[in-house]
Amino acid sequence: KLNVGVDAIQHGVEGLTYLLTESSKLMISEIDFQDSIHVLGFSDELNKLLLQLYLDNRKEIRSILAELAPKLPSYHSLEWRLDVQLASRSLRQQIKPAVTIKLHLNQNEEQTAQVLQTDPSTLLHLIQQLEQALGEMKTNHCRRIVRNMK
Amino acid sequence: ILDDPDLKDIDPTVLKHCHAAAATCILEAGKQKADISAISTCLEDCKLDKERIEQFCTEYQKNKDALEILLGSIGRSPLHITDVSWRLEYQIKSNQLHKTYQPSYLVTLNVENSGSGSHPDVSFSCTMEQLQDLVGKLKDAAKSLERATQM
């Protein structure tokens, strides 16, 4: 339809892909983008089109690239249940409270679920530790780093 | 027991029988959470004299709690969480993507198997929002626990 050779089209697509992914990866500004493609000697109209293409697709390209980074299983959700063990084969007349947890994780597109259990005092300990973790982002130290690393 | 110098004059088979009998009696008493009077009655039926019954009961009473804890810990259960460690990091870039600037948490749950001891810990990463969700749910569970104990 375009009346151009297959090779030319392939090169065109590859070039365009490279241009967009590299620009998105480095998150370059509009001005830098314009300067970079200026050397290619295209018409002004084409340059404007390319810039628009970059800005429109930048976010999506970046989120796809983010998937490629090495990662660990990530948290998906958590279900919990309260149980009280009343007896077992080796001991009758018990009152043993426990919290049963189903932890849903995502790993490489697959969802896994793991069943875990804990006792009330450990549960409180977990909550305390993780609340401390959450509080860290609000400390001056972290705030300073976030501010200075933009 | 077989090496105890005080017992070397007794036939080892008899010794084994005695040991097994005593152990069975103790374990059954522990399992059923029997009280002292029940144990005494049982021993009386076995024709033990008063002094021996008293000695047995005193020793039993001393170790009762430890025995119950031990019996209670036998049995299967899901992996038990014993502790948690966390790490907060601030991602700057990867080879695929620069200027990411995102905080991320790495949480490790230390778990124990009821019988065989160690098991690889459960680790996962999460964002701040996800960690808030996780902690929120755990707090719900804790509140439920508190309400249940007040009933």
Side-chain angles (χ1 to χ4, degrees), chain B residues 4-73:
Chain B
D4 194 317
D6 290 336
L7 302 170
K8 68 173 158 56
D9 292 329
I10 310 178
D11 177 13
T13 326
V14 173
L15 213 49
K16 260 193 176 173
H17 279 167
C18 291
H19 182 251
T24 313
C25 179
I26 295 171
L27 288 175
E28 263 311 299
K31 175 162 86 173
Q32 302 294 344
K33 287 210 167 175
D35 55 25
I36 290 295
S37 56
I39 302 178
S40 310
T41 319
C42 176
L43 293 177
E44 269 169 30
D45 291 341
C46 299
K47 312 270 199 303
L48 256 68
D49 58 63
K50 264 253 163 2
E51 199 190 305
R52 289 206 180 137
I53 294 182
E54 236 183 84
Q55 243 180 354
F56 186 88
C57 288
T58 320
E59 279 308 306
Y60 180 79
Q61 197 68 346
K62 265 200 275 179
N63 296 300
K64 189 164 93 103
D65 289 337
L67 179 65
E68 271 172 24
I69 294 176
L70 183 62
L71 286 174
S73 67

Side-chain angles (χ1 to χ4, degrees), chain A residues 120-142:
Chain A
S121 47
T122 310
L123 177 65
L124 294 176
H125 170 70
L126 294 181
I127 293 174
Q128 185 208 34
Q129 288 294 310
L130 293 177
E131 278 188 321
Q132 266 182 18
L134 281 173
E136 273 307 303
M137 269 313 284
K138 304 200 185 109
T139 60
N140 286 331
H141 177 75
C142 289

Side-chain angles (χ1 to χ4, degrees), chain B residues 96-117:
Chain B
Q96 307 288 359
L97 194 58
H98 293 203
K99 302 194 188 167
T100 40
Y101 301 132
Q102 258 218 355
S104 131
Y105 286 95
L106 175 58
V107 178
T108 299
L109 297 169
N110 305 109
V111 289
E112 244 174 39
N113 225 332
S114 52
S116 44

Side-chain angles (χ1 to χ4, degrees), chain A residues 29-83:
Chain A
S29 63
E30 278 185 43
I31 304 183
D32 286 339
F33 186 83
Q34 278 170 333
D35 288 343
S36 309
I37 59 178
H38 191 68
V39 292
L40 296 169
F42 293 142
S43 67
D44 269 344
E45 204 186 308
L46 191 55
N47 287 346
K48 260 203 227 122
L49 267 171
L50 285 172
L51 178 62
Q52 203 52 44
L53 195 61
Y54 167 58
L55 292 173
D56 288 342
N57 293 299
R58 177 163 64 175
K59 205 163 168 209
E60 197 182 330
I61 296 176
R62 281 179 70 79
S63 67
I64 296 174
L65 287 175
E67 297 292 309
L68 297 171
K71 9 183 234 192
L72 289 142
S74 68
Y75 173 79
H76 183 258
S77 66
L78 178 142
E79 301 170 72
W80 58 266
R81 184 180 83 187
L82 278 181
D83 293 329

